[in-house]
Amino acid sequence: MRLDRYPFDMTTLPNKFATWLTRKNWALHPHQLAMLETADLPAQVLIAPTGAGKTLAGFLPSLIELAEQPSRGLHTLYISPLKALAADIKRNLISPIDELGLDISVEDRTGDTSSHIKKRQRSAPPHILLTTPESLALLISYPEAANIFSGLQRVIIDEIHALAESKRGDQLMLALSRIQALCPDMRRVGLSATVKDATEIATFLSPTSPTCPILIADAGPAPHIQMLSSSGTPPWAGAGGLYAIADVLAQIKAHKTTLIFHNTRAQAELFFHNLWLANEDALPIAIHHGSLDRQQRQKVEAAMTAGALRAIVCTGSLDLGIDWGDVDLVIQIGAPKNVKRLVQRIGRANHRYNAPSKALIVPANRFEVVECLCALEAVQENDLDGEPRPPGGLDVLCQHILLCACADTIDPEVLFAQIKQAGPYSAVTRREFDACLEFCATGGYALRRYDQWHRLQQDPNGDFKLRDPRSARRLRLNVGTIQDSDTLKVRLHKRRGGKPLGEVEEAFAATLAPGDTFLIGGQVVRFESLRDMVVEVSRHAHKKPKIATFAGTKFATSTQLSKRILKRFDTENFQGLPAFIQKWLFQQQTLSRLPSRDHLLLETFPRRGQQHLVIYGFAGRNAQQTLGLLITKQLEAQGLAPLGFVATDYATLIWGLEKITAPEALFDLTDLEKGLADWLGENAVMKRSFRAVATIAGLIERNLPGQRKSGRQATFSSDILYDTLRKYDPEHILLAITQSEARQGLVDFDRIKELLEKRATRIVHCALPHVSPMAAPLFLEAGRVPVEGQAMDRLLAEKATALMVEAGLEF
Amino acid sequence: MPNLQNSSQYRSVNGFPFTLSGAALLALPSGALWWPELELLCVSDLHLGKAERISRKGGANLPPYEIQDTLSRLERDLEQTSASTVICLGDSFDDLSAERAFPEDAQLWIARLQAGRRWIWIEGNHDPGPIHLGGQHMAEFACAPLLFRHIANPASSGEVSGHYHPKAQVSLRGRARSFACFLLDETRLILPAYGTYTGGLRCDHPTLDRLINKPGLAILTGKSAQPIPMPRAKVT
């Protein structure tokens, strides 16, 4: 928590603290002082870059209050998205507490805390408790919650901008609404990085507070961002930036510690592998991402903080929390997709606050050069992007209701009033709440069955309670909103449990044959066998490795960025673009056309025995995805056997077995609108959404580690539940939640409407002999959505026949 | 390898024809087994009442439609084949309490399906006792040349059994899909689970791997009954 010198007024500080600061030769920032002055307000938000002493700003009021009026029990709650951050903060707090000679106990409580400490914390909590949203949700589920939280004065939410972006934020605010009811005087503080709309954060934190001041700390000097000027040229397509390895190495040598960010884990692996091959000076370089084994990650984090690494190849796994030590350069490989994230990331480099942060952007392929340039412009104009926050998920509300039921009887009136105090749920209707309560109690089905086994029972007063108190344990095991994807652990093959390396997606593991190789943790491993749901591998593989797929968030280019790009094409503004890019765009113009704001460009071409259609909507990934769903449905109905599609922010690529001669005819708006709900219903995207929703709401139990070992399904697939509900109970609340979520994620049929209404009169179709320069990158996009239909049936029949013939079993 | 026939006699019912110990059989895409000569339909592992059982055991309240869904499909298969004998090959009920708690409308439905038919309930491990619905209740049913029981006996031959809920994974254009399937070799047939709320066991699991002689056939259920060589475990 190093601070720089600033003039300040120390008279507001108690003597003890003033003396301490003088002795350490530290000074308080203006915003830290301001936080002290407004410490009595029910809520406030601080927006400050890293290195600005956000933590001290948040905790100083607590330390002072506890020093002046010692108390027993919980005084301050600190919440962060990361377990590691909680542990970090604990260390950072204990040292000034000791130096000041204060009698304040600080403890953390996360998934890693031992059960006996957790138990003791419930009966004798510390003064300051550092925790995560999930652990907090668990805490409110205990009958002794009222005792644990009595006397709570302050809640500090760190990295609130990150939490506000997901269901974890929803869950957190619900938990706080509960605690606020127990402690009406509790005050809230949100610590945030730079965001587009600060008032949104304030409303999220405290919807009913008449004034929630937003303190904006001085942002420090403007960041120094540039495109990497490389001697190599980016390839046509591909992700990964391998062409720039030599340049990246040169940058690493010229700096103390460099962070190299990638958009996906697979890209990070590939880049690291190739970087290492070129690392003739044997510089200490490591890799870090969410699918690697935890111990491995911790080693890297420790080495990084100790300044022992010259570079770390990573994904967003390093975005939050962990002290970046002496990182003095950030390299972003691949288009940043999102200006806000780039700015937040850069803000963390060189966190000696007064020095400008340095960043380099490395486009991975030719299209990305344009995208990166536009991103640079946007950063320079401080034009951050961001979609408005959707209301809180009703599935999270269901989980909250169940957790409350674990603690106490539920009075629906009281609980409804409480949850409306939570930012994301301030607009929830009584009807929606009742539907959630009904779901929690009975499942909320049109057909009423087995009344005596309902989860919650209503007593004559109208209050609800758990039918079986023992079910509380199971409900607590399912707490959380983070989705586990289908991943399998990867281990080195040894007779007795080899070293764990990390995990890969199950779908990828299913494609492996013995002898296949892939990259993980930077090394090439050879697939040996799949035993007990564990992928066993060995080292010393020399074949060219496959690209594994790991789970992980995939971001989309914001629409603001997309708009900038189109504008450049229309105005033929190629200024600032390298020569080879201009050439590429010229080639696109020659073979096909450049996309435009004035018309909708379609391309068709054959490739590898399949027919393709590209739709350049530039409508944002979500709208392009919806378009993919709708158009493939049309193609299916017309017998054109589509196989699948993939969407990016600027285009949708559809492939199938039959040639499409008149694609313009597919874009009739009324046709598309009709049956949208129906078409969406059958798709894989909806099923994935449903699975997440059903797990959070408590219909499906999480796959806990150890349960999946035998390969035998303990439960049946969520797809079966989804199909059953669609068939027999189409109005069911979980389907409604799935639809609305998918609509938000799939976004705005409105955006497609807008696109089509504006440009539908001008659809330009280019029938090409082969893939166009602009379509090429689409083939390497992840997130392909398969289409169930005649094509799949045909393929299955073909494949089955082929297998039979191969095995000599033909008949 | 079992004798695979393609006789036109069985064209009216959609399925995959084969013989087992000389009996000419048809694997239906729904997961039922049809024996045309005896007008016999066999289904296994219905697990009726699973939703109720899970709720009773303190789990979530699952959508209570599995009885409806399973019986609808059974009714459709009965209509299509005009079966005169039906064998339910065990685990017809998720447990004995589920059977006792069986809703009245469902009982009437089954009674309707049973009308004019010979109905045989084979004991399973989940429902090992007598069932309080009409029909015959047996541990095994011999109908030469075949023997029907719930769990396969490795030493037997000409045997039709269930219990394992086999499923096969097929990789299609880089994407893995799972199908409930029949497993077949020259000595035995294992039926897929017919019930709606049933999970499955992958057929490369050692137990199934041992039970079915190589190469073995997996007949996938779904839109059509598709045979493929039985997937085996991938080990170097």
Side-chain angles (χ1 to χ4, degrees), chain A residues 225-227 334-340 342-343 361-363 365-385 557-578 581 584-585 597 618 649-650 774:
Chain A
I225 320 178
Q226 284 179 295
M227 297 258 278
K337 298 289 172 202
N338 195 296
V339 182
K340 177 179 68 176
L342 177 64
V343 168
I361 308 184
V362 181
N365 60 53
R366 283 166 212 226
F367 188 85
E368 287 200 349
V369 176
V370 185
E371 204 177 318
C372 287
L373 201 65
C374 291
L376 261 180
E377 278 172 11
V379 171
Q380 265 134 27
E381 292 169 27
N382 208 21
D383 181 16
L384 296 185
D385 38 30
T557 308
S558 68
T559 44
Q560 281 98 320
L561 262 183
S562 305
K563 281 201 169 89
R564 274 182 185 263
I565 298 169
L566 267 181
K567 187 164 167 206
R568 269 183 171 265
F569 290 156
D570 275 341
T571 55
E572 294 207 352
N573 175 7
F574 300 148
Q575 217 186 24
L577 292 174
I581 291 293
W584 170 59
L585 292 176
R597 291 170 300 179
F618 278 80
D649 296 279
Y650 62 95
M774 201 157 268

Side-chain angles (χ1 to χ4, degrees), chain A residues 445 450 610 727-729, chain B residues 61-62 65 69 171 173 234:
Chain A
Y445 303 111
Y450 43 81
Q610 286 181 350
K727 222 158 139 189
Y728 298 103
D729 210 335
Chain B
N61 298 127
L62 294 185
Y65 305 107
D69 196 67
S171 182
R173 304 270 168 144
K234 291 186 274 205

